[in-house]
């Protein structure tokens, strides 16, 4: 059973058929803040995920330790305060630090409902901080 069990990243980096034409999306210029799952860290490893992100062109900021959100810690009633406190050790500060409108590629053009339909005049607003960037 263990030999037949693979993560999605393992399937996409090491187990695709030879005639597959699949390629990862282009993430060049983006930084991925990644938190390996505890089971991955302890048993499966994170090498395939690193490899997949590197093939896509992403820079990687890899966090260590418990995220505080998985398993019963993050799902059962009464664990919110502990779960949040654990997430504040590494995950949440890293996500807040990584937040930047410049860390995201803008869409190819304005959405269909944009009144101006002009890429030059279209601005996108970050839902988190409210800053805008022109595409």
């Amino acid at each position: 059973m263990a030999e037949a069990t693979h993560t999605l990243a393992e399937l996409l980096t090491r187990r695709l058929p030879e005639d597959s034409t699949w390629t990862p999306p282009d993430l060049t210029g983006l930084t991925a803040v990644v938190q390996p799952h505890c089971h991955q860290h302890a048993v499966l490893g994170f090498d395939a995920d690193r490899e997949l992100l590197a093939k896509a062109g992403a820079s990687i900021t890899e966090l260590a330790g418990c995220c505080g959100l998985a398993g019963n810690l993050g799902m059962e009633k009464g664990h919110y305060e502990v779960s949040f406190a654990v997430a504040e050790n590494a995950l949440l500060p890293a996500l807040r630090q990584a937040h930047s409108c410049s860390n995201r590629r803008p869409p190819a053009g304005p959405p269909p409902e944009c009144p101006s339909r002009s890429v030059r005049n279209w601005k996108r607003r970050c839902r988190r901080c409210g800053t805008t960037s022109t595409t």
Side-chain angles (χ1 to χ4, degrees):
M1 178 75 106
E3 291 176 12
T5 304
H6 306 282
T7 67
L8 178 59
E10 288 172 333
L11 291 172
L12 294 175
T13 56
R14 302 177 186 155
R15 311 213 33 104
L16 286 175
E18 287 185 29
D19 61 347
S20 174
T21 59
W22 183 85
T23 58
D26 181 12
L27 301 179
T28 303
L30 296 179
T31 299
V33 176
V34 295
Q35 173 79 45
H37 190 278
C38 292
H39 188 73
Q40 258 184 306
H41 175 73
V43 179
L44 302 172
F46 195 68
D47 292 342
D49 298 78
R50 262 187 231 101
E51 183 181 339
L52 184 59
L53 288 165
K55 281 182 180 179
S59 299
I60 303 166
T61 301
E62 188 174 332
L63 306 178
C66 181
C67 70
L69 305 172
N72 71 349
L73 185 62
M75 300 297 171
E76 286 186 2
K77 193 174 189 178
H79 292 181
Y80 177 81
E81 288 79 16
V82 172
S83 176
F84 198 84
V86 171
E88 281 293 346
N89 284 326
L91 178 61
L92 295 178
L95 292 175
R96 282 192 292 272
Q97 182 181 1
H99 170 73
S100 166
C101 292
S102 63
N103 194 33
R104 293 181 226 160
R105 277 185 294 188
E113 64 273 17
C114 181
S116 73
R117 299 285 294 148
S118 167
V119 174
R120 184 182 56 220
N121 297 326
W122 182 61
K123 292 185 178 188
R124 70 189 264 276
R125 180 174 299 279
C126 174
R127 291 183 196 162
R128 183 173 182 268
C129 70
T131 60
T132 58
S133 62
T134 304
T135 54

